[in-house]
Amino acid sequence: MKMTFRWYGSQMDPIPLRYIKQIPNMSGVVTSLMDMPAGALWPEERIQALKQEVNDAGLEMEVIESVNVHEDIKLGLPSRDQYIEAYQETIRRLGRAGVKVICYNFMPVFDWTRSDLFKPRPDGAAVLAYDQAVIDRITDPQAFADQIQQGAGEFEMAGWEPERMAEIKSLFAQYASVSHQDLRNNLAYFLKAIIPVCEQYDVKMAIHPDDPPWDIFGLPRIYTSAEDIRQILAMVDSPYNCLTLCSGSLGSNPNNDIPALVREFGSQGRIPFAHVRNIKFTGPGQFEEAAHFSADGSLDLYEIMKAYYDVGMDFYVRPDHGRMIWDEKGRAGYGLFDRALGASYLNGLWEAIEKDHQ
């Protein structure tokens, strides 16, 4: 297991690399070129410069999250091939830079969605939260996107980039005729084009679950359950067609048994990257994000980490969304303090599990 930490780059992340380096057992950062729009070819010199910056801080850059997939690929438009060609070349460049995993998603229009970015908790912390009833009352997705960005303050929300949100009304119109199977077919087309490149350059593509794992705003979702995963992995039967298994995203549906998913797909070697975090169910279609500590939420992180140990595969892991604690100001869900606590908690679980099996 390699412990990593999500970092948005020195121009967009208030957390310096030297702080991340001080977290015990931290091997590297999961990062990206955040200003690159979906579909753009990543410049080789910028990839190398980012790697050098990370390496100079004594950390590795072996996981990239995300190389965003252009909406034309998801929609299956004729123009998709030009964006796929750019994606293939970006994979080659990242592979030459030593990147081993690319985390990406195939969610239409919106990336992860929450109805509250800073919900107060009784302990004084603030957390990301979701309430389906709030989402159901939204009649203008553009206004909702504007509200989310305003709530984020000075920080740009990953997955809610301005160039994507500027086209939101036209995108909704385009997706009106796209079914779940259409979206699956478009994902399969994409994977069949890029996985041979991944195999050549030793880069695993690890798709992130839909978050939350059900349809929202009438948009189809196709990575929400074990059956969805089986279909995705069967699209291209290659060890380079993989999963990012996010316990918080999939776990927000109580029907998803996270340890069972880890054992089924981890034993196949198809989980090179894991987001491990906790959530607390607060009602049907409602959850809020919790501390990583099992008792603070609804997921058993000991059982999740034990499942990863039991399948015996090498993988990267990172603590995921954290609470905003100790009056820290920063990107919603991505402060330093609680994610550092989360990493330490996961490290402690892993050490105990390892020693228990010696």
Side-chain angles (χ1 to χ4, degrees):
M1 179 188 78
K2 281 192 171 185
M3 181 62 66
T4 62
F5 202 81
R6 184 73 162 107
W7 182 65
Y8 288 93
S10 54
Q11 301 303 309
M12 295 189 179
D13 201 316
I15 302 168
L17 287 170
R18 67 182 186 275
Y19 288 6
I20 298 171
K21 176 63 177 173
Q22 293 169 30
I23 303 170
N25 196 39
M26 192 57 62
S27 71
V29 293
V30 175
T31 188
S32 185
L33 296 178
M34 293 300 299
D35 61 322
M36 295 300 295
L41 174 62
W42 285 23
E44 195 144 21
E45 63 275 13
R46 291 200 57 200
I47 294 171
Q48 294 296 337
L50 180 61
K51 179 184 180 180
Q52 189 65 53
E53 182 182 9
V54 171
N55 291 169
D56 287 349
L59 296 162
E60 297 172 338
M61 189 189 81
E62 297 184 343
V63 182
I64 292 293
E65 181 184 345
S66 298
V67 180
N68 289 324
V69 179
H70 197 276
E71 296 294 334
D72 288 12
I73 298 174
K74 300 175 192 176
L75 286 162
L77 301 180
S79 53
R80 64 182 168 181
D81 289 335
Q82 68 184 23
Y83 295 114
I84 290 175
E85 287 177 8
Y87 209 105
Q88 290 169 323
E89 181 58 26
T90 295
I91 292 170
R92 295 185 186 101
R93 295 178 180 186
L94 290 171
R96 287 194 290 265
V99 169
K100 298 300 181 185
V101 178
I102 295 173
C103 171
Y104 72 105
N105 74 73
F106 218 72
M107 288 181 260
V109 186
F110 292 107
D111 203 314
W112 57 278
T113 302
R114 297 293 182 271
S115 55
D116 194 335
L117 298 184
F118 296 98
K119 181 181 179 182
R121 298 190 78 204
D123 61 4
V127 295
L128 298 165
Y130 184 90
D131 185 342
Q132 187 63 49
V134 172
I135 301 298
D136 288 342
R137 289 196 295 270
I138 294 168
T139 57
D140 183 354
Q142 180 66 65
F144 175 64
D146 294 343
Q147 175 187 329
I148 287 291
Q149 186 54 60
Q150 289 168 10
E154 62 184 289
F155 301 100
E156 182 179 293
M157 296 291 291
W160 294 68
E161 291 80 11
E163 72 276 359
R164 182 190 300 191
M165 295 302 98
E167 302 174 356
I168 193 168
K169 289 183 179 178
S170 64
L171 284 173
F172 265 79
Q174 288 176 292
Y175 275 106
S177 60
V178 176
S179 69
H180 292 81
Q181 191 56 50
D182 291 333
L183 193 59
R184 290 189 188 97
N185 292 342
N186 296 338
L187 174 58
Y189 185 95
F190 174 64
L191 289 173
K192 288 172 183 176
I194 64 167
I195 294 301
V197 179
C198 293
E199 292 172 340
Q200 184 179 0
Y201 286 84
D202 193 26
V203 178
K204 294 183 176 179
M205 291 297 297
I207 189 169
H208 187 282
D210 299 328
D211 187 3
W214 52 77
D215 293 359
I216 60 169
F217 301 120
L219 298 168
R221 303 281 207 167
I222 59 171
Y223 179 3
T224 65
S225 65
E227 181 53 37
D228 285 346
I229 294 172
R230 295 182 193 111
Q231 291 188 56
I232 290 169
L233 297 184
M235 289 173 181
V236 179
D237 188 11
S238 165
Y240 288 84
N241 177 24
C242 297
L243 312 172
T244 295
L245 204 153
C246 178
S247 63
S249 299
L250 287 169
S252 56
N253 181 345
N255 294 323
N256 285 327
D257 183 333
I258 304 303
L261 295 177
V262 172
R263 289 192 164 89
E264 178 177 351
F265 302 110
S267 63
Q268 299 172 21
R270 305 295 277 272
I271 311 176
F273 185 37
H275 295 178
V276 181
R277 63 177 168 88
N278 207 347
I279 55 103
K280 185 176 182 65
F281 301 123
T282 55
Q286 298 176 346
F287 61 88
E288 63 184 40
E289 304 197 358
H292 285 70
F293 179 56
S294 295
D296 195 55
S298 301
L299 304 182
D300 189 332
L301 266 66
Y302 170 83
E303 290 297 336
I304 292 171
M305 294 300 284
K306 185 175 183 299
Y308 280 111
Y309 181 89
D310 289 346
V311 299
M313 64 174 288
D314 295 330
F315 71 111
Y316 300 88
V317 64
R318 73 168 174 85
D320 203 2
H321 304 161
R323 303 167 299 154
M324 299 305 288
I325 61 174
W326 304 337
D327 297 326
E328 183 178 17
K329 304 298 181 185
R331 186 185 295 268
Y334 286 98
L336 170 65
F337 303 146
D338 198 43
R339 287 191 296 150
L341 292 176
S344 297
Y345 178 62
L346 299 179
N347 281 328
L349 288 175
W350 193 259
E351 180 181 6
I353 292 165
E354 279 190 318
K355 290 185 174 180
D356 191 48
H357 286 77
Q358 288 177 354

